[in-house]
Amino acid sequence: MKEKEGSLGLFQQFKFVRVLHHDTRAKSLYLLGTIQSQDAIAIIEKTAFNVQDDLLMNNLVASSIEDIRMLDKNDVYHWYMAVMKEDLEKLPGAKVSLIWPATQTHIDKYGKQRHRMITETPEMYRSVLAPYIETMKGDRIQWVYNILSHKVEADRIVYENTDPVNGFILLPNLKWDRTTMDALYLIAIVHRRDVASIRDLSKKHIPWLKSVQREIVQAVTTTYPLTETQLRIYVHYLPSYYHFHIHVTNVEHDAGDSTGIGKAIMLTDVISRLEEMSDEHSGFAKSTLSFFLGENSELWKNGYSKIYKD
Ligand code: G7M
């Protein structure tokens, strides 16, 4: 088995503890384990088919089914089980991600949990979320700073505007296998550090947001065989990481909760809501925003559950 330097070593040391979550629809398994006595999370996800390329599809049907056996038939309906051919470079069967060392926040995030809808007023934001965001800066977003300083993932940058205020880096989301065009998933991480979430956006940010959106579209459509109307460009509220970033997916891609109501807001809608705000200093800090929240999260357990008390 060929693997990038060092990473297989780490995965080999993974000692299984328990299943955090099995998502049968997304065909993903979230496992808790340990590596060198520290918590680790392994995410194993079956890859999607690549249907972009007709040749590949011909090939897939003709030669990629290694073995097939009919289970049953009924009138015009026939069903089979099959073994697919796999190839680590061209046709990998699964994508594996490892989080190590994993924090309790990671474990809470990936474990199966029930959810709550929160209607967050500006006062609730100030008293509950804003102090929580302060605890989520620094180490928790080290991966973001590593990308912004070109320490990691630099060879995968799709586009960069290096301006410290207006600039951003566009690169593949770790959730993308980097080949399946129908599942294209990029993120744009801004260079500036004064916007943690949309709550920090106000009318003065409109020209900046518009230029970021324009540059994203330009970069994606010149790099990949996709047009502007095939892209879903959105932000999360709540995000998991409090440094402003924008999600870019192929509109065909089912990104699960990531595009769900109560979490995803289209960037164009963010911009037009700002445009509709009356005075010059208005922004999302003065809005009421709704989102869903996992019951395992600190924010629910030590924050909003105390307000809702049900
Ligand atoms: O919910 P939120 O908007 O905070 O989503 C953050 C996104 O960043 C998720 O879609 C993650 O898959 C993605 N992401 C998280 N990490 C830790 C990394 C990383 O290290 N590299 C890349 N390229 N994307 C990441």
Side-chain angles (χ1 to χ4, degrees), residues 99 106 109-110 140 143-144 147 152-153 156 171-176 185-187 189 234-243 245-247 258 263:
I99 303 176
H106 290 122
K109 176 177 168 183
Y110 290 107
R140 308 259 181 184
W143 69 272
V144 169
I147 289 172
V152 295
E153 304 189 56
R156 296 194 270 288
L171 82 171
N173 190 312
L174 62 72
K175 288 184 180 154
W176 188 33
Y185 196 158
L186 309 172
I187 45 168
I189 305 175
Y234 60 98
V235 296
H236 280 167
Y237 195 75
L238 296 180
S240 305
Y241 303 101
Y242 291 91
H243 175 108
H245 54 274
I246 298 162
H247 299 244
S258 173
K263 189 170 181 81

Side-chain angles (χ1 to χ4, degrees), residues 122-281:
E123 296 70 39
M124 284 160 75
Y125 167 68
R126 276 195 298 277
S127 62
V128 181
L129 188 61
Y132 171 78
I133 290 176
E134 288 313 307
T135 70
M136 298 298 283
K137 288 183 175 168
D139 278 3
R140 308 259 181 184
I141 46 176
Q142 189 53 47
W143 69 272
V144 169
Y145 300 143
N146 289 345
I147 289 172
L148 294 176
S149 61
H150 289 207
K151 245 195 217 153
V152 295
E153 304 189 56
D155 53 333
R156 296 194 270 288
I157 292 176
V158 174
Y159 172 82
E160 176 168 16
N161 173 336
T162 55
D163 189 277
V165 179
N166 296 314
F168 66 94
I169 287 183
L170 180 70
L171 82 171
N173 190 312
L174 62 72
K175 288 184 180 154
W176 188 33
D177 63 14
R178 285 190 262 141
T179 39
T180 314
M181 216 28 77
D182 270 354
L184 177 120
Y185 196 158
L186 309 172
I187 45 168
I189 305 175
V190 303
H191 275 301
R192 64 195 298 161
R193 297 187 179 197
D194 59 345
V195 183
S197 77
I198 59 164
R199 282 284 188 191
D200 293 324
L201 295 175
S202 60
K203 278 181 95 71
K204 69 170 189 230
H205 294 108
I206 293 172
W208 171 57
L209 292 170
K210 283 186 172 173
S211 72
V212 170
Q213 163 116 9
R214 232 181 357 255
E215 286 174 63
I216 289 175
V217 170
Q218 173 73 17
V220 177
T221 55
T222 49
T223 311
Y224 302 103
L226 293 168
T227 62
E228 183 170 357
T229 52
Q230 290 175 305
L231 302 178
R232 204 193 298 257
I233 303 178
Y234 60 98
V235 296
H236 280 167
Y237 195 75
L238 296 180
S240 305
Y241 303 101
Y242 291 91
H243 175 108
F244 192 62
H245 54 274
I246 298 162
H247 299 244
V248 184
T249 68
N250 186 325
V251 70
E252 301 298 343
H253 179 53
D254 175 359
D257 274 355
S258 173
T259 48
I261 198 164
K263 189 170 181 81
I265 311 176
M266 295 296 289
L267 183 58
T268 46
D269 293 347
V270 168
I271 296 170
S272 53
R273 276 190 69 175
L274 287 171
E275 282 175 330
E276 284 153 18
M277 290 177 186
S278 50
D279 79 277
E280 255 335 276
H281 305 292

